[in-house]
Amino acid sequence: MENPKNLEEGLAHRESLGNGEKQQNEVSEHPEAEEKEEQQPEKQKSKRVATLDVFRGLTVVLMILVDDAGEAYPLINHSPWNGCRLADFVMPFFLFIVGMAIALALKRVPKKRDAVRRIFSRTLKLLFWGVLLQGGYSHAPSDLAYGVDMKLIRWCGILQRIALVYMIVALVETFTIKHRQKILNPGHFSIFTAYRWQWLGGFISFLIYMITTFALYVPDWSFVNHDEQKRYTVWHYPVNCGMRGHLGPACNAVGHVDRAVWGVNHLYGGPEWRRLKACTVSAPSSGDLRDDAPAWCHGPFEPEGLLSSISAILSGTIGIHYGHVLIHFKENSKRLKQWVSMAVGLLIIAIILHFTDAIPMNKQLYSFSYVCFTGGAAGLVFSGFYILIDMWGWRMPFLFLEWIGMNAMLVYVMAAQGIFEGFINGWFYKSPDNTLVYWIQDHVFNDVWKSERVGTLLYVVFAQITFWAVVSGVLHKLGIYWKL
């Protein structure tokens, strides 16, 4: 999400997909092509990667859809624990995009010191916005109050995870770029050996995650639940663990690491596991907890925590591999062969691990099977867009996604985080519940369709996604982008 013009990218890139055309200063498979490129004048302007913008726009749209309509349609919401639903693809898709953008932006690094400075600068900006938007300071769109008790602030979140993955993957790329092979050796796997250092970084993150997950001892823990204002104690809950390698909600190593590092009061207070049958009779929807619900059902859990974010580095590594393929291979058929074979391989690994119960897919734990499944899905979706847009020339039908993708940071903050709706709600008549936003929801959508579920979906599609697509298109025509 880190991009001067986008939520994910972070470094400006102007690359050509080229349909097999050569770019100036771009690495090549053939030495003679390399020599020709070096002789070309520097006047040519390279084109932006339209497919990447469209894919980024799709991911932002999915985030808005599942965040705002997921409660009405639980099947598109996050899986309460094991499994993978539509909402669970959003985070790894963003990280996949981050990886691809890094590969394209860091094709050439004239001065490593400048690159490192930019990387740390953008990382800090992402961390700042992440804590501001998801740390509890903003209560938009429904609650017009703002501010957060520093004893209860949430340190982790979506942008914080993206910042960590971006920093690690970009630094590895920066410091190993001198080892890049300009001419790949023959063979399908030569692209992997050419970037062995990047894969080594991903493998180290995999080892850290797996060893910690299955070897770390998780002791008993407890927490204190508060009322909505968190001003007085309601109840004290003890959770009995004393085990290793547990992959359930209560006693996994991912939660233990976050409780030890951040403290139990700084974790996300509404984990998805509360929609499990063990916790609520409303499952898979949200609802009041059962009277006999286990203690852990009442507890906090950080879905973007430290250990799971280390595992998420693999999603960025998969993305940067796809970017390397885009750089090195000039023919569409060769690009697609690399992309699709990689995606299918990842999907097969994920399905075997999940359905044998060896390592179930789990977004909250960011399990290895989840990384493989979502990485494979991202590869197939990107390949599909590439065929439609860059091979068949069907760019117009996806133009609204491209506009959103080019101004993804703006749309993320204003729409996905509800800042724009919160601003509109601030102009109410007599009561904070009597605002333009609520009036549109009730009278234009819910009342007309006589269904809150259908009205909610149509409100999200038209009053949010379509609205911000139009705004992004206008801003694009004016050359206005949110830059980090």
Side-chain angles (χ1 to χ4, degrees):
M1 270 192 275
E2 153 106 19
N3 190 300
K5 298 180 179 177
N6 315 300
L7 182 56
E8 310 82 19
E9 195 168 323
L11 290 174
H13 64 280
R14 294 282 173 181
E15 316 295 340
S16 170
L17 290 180
N19 292 315
E21 294 178 0
K22 304 290 186 295
Q23 289 185 40
Q24 178 193 356
N25 292 330
E26 186 164 300
V27 290
S28 172
E29 294 176 277
H30 307 291
E32 60 273 14
E34 184 79 19
E35 292 173 5
K36 290 178 184 177
E37 287 179 3
E38 289 176 358
Q39 295 171 2
Q40 290 180 0
E42 295 186 356
K43 329 181 198 180
Q44 295 181 344
K45 288 186 179 179
S46 56
K47 296 183 293 182
R48 189 180 182 86
V49 182
T51 303
L52 189 58
D53 283 326
V54 170
F55 189 31
R56 184 185 298 107
L58 173 69
T59 307
V60 174
V61 166
L62 284 181
M63 173 179 279
I64 297 172
L65 177 66
V66 298
D67 281 355
D68 296 333
E71 197 64 36
Y73 297 88
L75 290 180
I76 69 171
N77 205 348
H78 290 288
S79 175
W81 195 244
N82 290 337
C84 192
R85 298 180 182 174
L86 186 62
D88 297 317
F89 288 98
V90 173
M91 172 59 76
F93 276 21
F94 274 133
L95 298 179
F96 177 91
I97 295 165
V98 167
M100 282 206 72
I102 289 171
L104 299 175
L106 296 180
K107 270 199 323 177
R108 301 289 187 195
V109 182
K111 295 183 179 179
K112 286 184 171 54
R113 182 180 300 177
D114 293 340
V116 171
R117 188 182 297 112
R118 289 197 299 269
I119 290 169
F120 280 114
S121 173
R122 290 184 172 95
T123 298
L124 292 175
K125 290 176 183 177
L126 281 171
L127 290 174
F128 168 78
W129 281 104
V131 173
L132 183 65
L133 294 171
Q134 292 193 294
Y137 184 83
S138 170
H139 307 278
S142 56
D143 191 346
L144 300 181
Y146 63 91
V148 59
D149 184 349
M150 292 301 292
K151 291 183 179 180
L152 303 171
I153 189 172
R154 181 186 174 196
W155 294 115
C156 298
I158 294 171
L159 292 181
Q160 295 93 310
R161 168 168 287 175
I162 290 173
L164 174 65
V165 173
Y166 165 75
M167 181 183 70
I168 299 299
V169 175
L171 286 177
V172 172
E173 181 79 352
T174 299
F175 286 108
T176 62
I177 203 165
K178 64 181 180 181
H179 301 295
R180 171 180 289 164
Q181 293 179 223
K182 293 184 177 182
I183 305 170
L184 293 181
N185 296 322
H188 183 79
F189 296 99
S190 61
I191 187 72
F192 292 92
T193 56
Y195 291 96
R196 55 190 176 276
W197 294 106
Q198 284 79 351
W199 284 108
L200 178 61
F203 181 68
I204 291 173
S205 68
F206 165 78
L207 283 182
I208 293 173
Y209 174 81
M210 295 296 287
I211 292 173
T212 306
T213 296
F214 290 99
L216 183 66
Y217 177 79
V218 180
D220 298 343
W221 60 284
S222 63
F223 61 94
V224 174
N225 210 348
H226 300 268
D227 71 344
E228 292 182 359
Q229 279 69 43
K230 300 181 179 179
R231 291 181 180 173
Y232 61 88
T233 300
V234 174
W235 200 255
H236 178 268
Y237 294 95
V239 181
N240 298 320
C241 290
M243 60 183 72
R244 289 183 174 87
H246 186 66
L247 299 179
C251 302
N252 57 78
V254 171
H256 174 58
V257 169
D258 289 325
R259 291 190 295 271
V261 174
W262 312 115
V264 71
N265 291 330
H266 296 283
L267 308 182
Y268 180 55
E272 300 297 336
W273 70 34
R274 293 188 179 181
R275 294 189 288 109
L276 288 168
K277 289 182 180 179
C279 298
T280 177
V281 294
S282 304
S285 300
S286 300
D288 294 333
L289 296 182
R290 296 174 180 268
D291 294 335
D292 60 345
W296 53 264
C297 288
H298 301 265
F301 182 82
E302 184 50 68
E304 279 84 38
L306 181 59
L307 184 58
S308 54
S309 292
I310 292 175
S311 175
I313 294 172
L314 277 169
S315 294
T317 303
I318 294 170
I320 203 170
H321 170 76
Y322 275 69
H324 291 153
V325 170
L326 185 65
I327 292 172
H328 281 279
F329 295 91
K330 305 305 176 187
E331 296 178 19
N332 291 330
S333 59
K334 291 185 178 180
R335 288 172 172 173
L336 289 172
K337 182 180 178 180
Q338 289 283 337
W339 288 339
V340 174
S341 61
M342 175 79 168
V344 171
L346 289 171
L347 291 174
I348 292 173
I349 293 172
I351 290 170
I352 292 174
L353 290 175
H354 180 75
F355 287 101
T356 59
D357 288 328
I359 304 177
M361 296 179 203
N362 190 296
K363 189 265 180 186
Q364 314 302 313
L365 300 179
Y366 221 95
S367 63
F368 179 63
S369 58
Y370 171 75
V371 172
C372 292
F373 188 74
T374 54
L380 288 182
V381 172
F382 183 85
S383 300
F385 275 136
Y386 182 83
I387 293 173
L388 294 175
I389 296 170
D390 292 282
M391 293 177 63
W392 295 355
W394 292 5
R395 187 170 179 177
M396 184 63 68
F398 306 102
L399 204 54
F400 77 101
L401 293 177
E402 186 176 348
W403 290 340
I404 292 176
M406 296 176 75
N407 235 322
M409 182 66 181
L410 174 71
V411 179
Y412 170 79
V413 172
M414 294 297 176
Q417 293 300 309
I419 300 301
F420 182 74
E421 281 187 349
F423 172 78
I424 298 298
N425 286 342
W427 303 86
F428 58 86
Y429 185 72
K430 292 185 179 180
S431 167
D433 295 328
N434 188 22
T435 70
L436 180 61
V437 172
Y438 296 140
W439 187 90
I440 292 174
Q441 288 176 332
D442 291 338
H443 298 287
V444 178
F445 293 99
N446 295 349
D447 291 349
V448 171
W449 293 94
K450 308 299 181 184
S451 169
E452 188 173 345
R453 292 181 79 237
V454 175
T456 298
L457 178 61
L458 293 178
Y459 172 79
V460 173
V461 170
F462 291 102
Q464 292 188 312
I465 295 173
T466 304
F467 173 79
W468 285 107
V470 173
V471 171
S472 299
V474 172
L475 293 177
H476 170 60
K477 295 298 182 182
L478 297 174
I480 299 174
Y481 305 94
W482 183 312
K483 297 182 180 181
L484 281 185

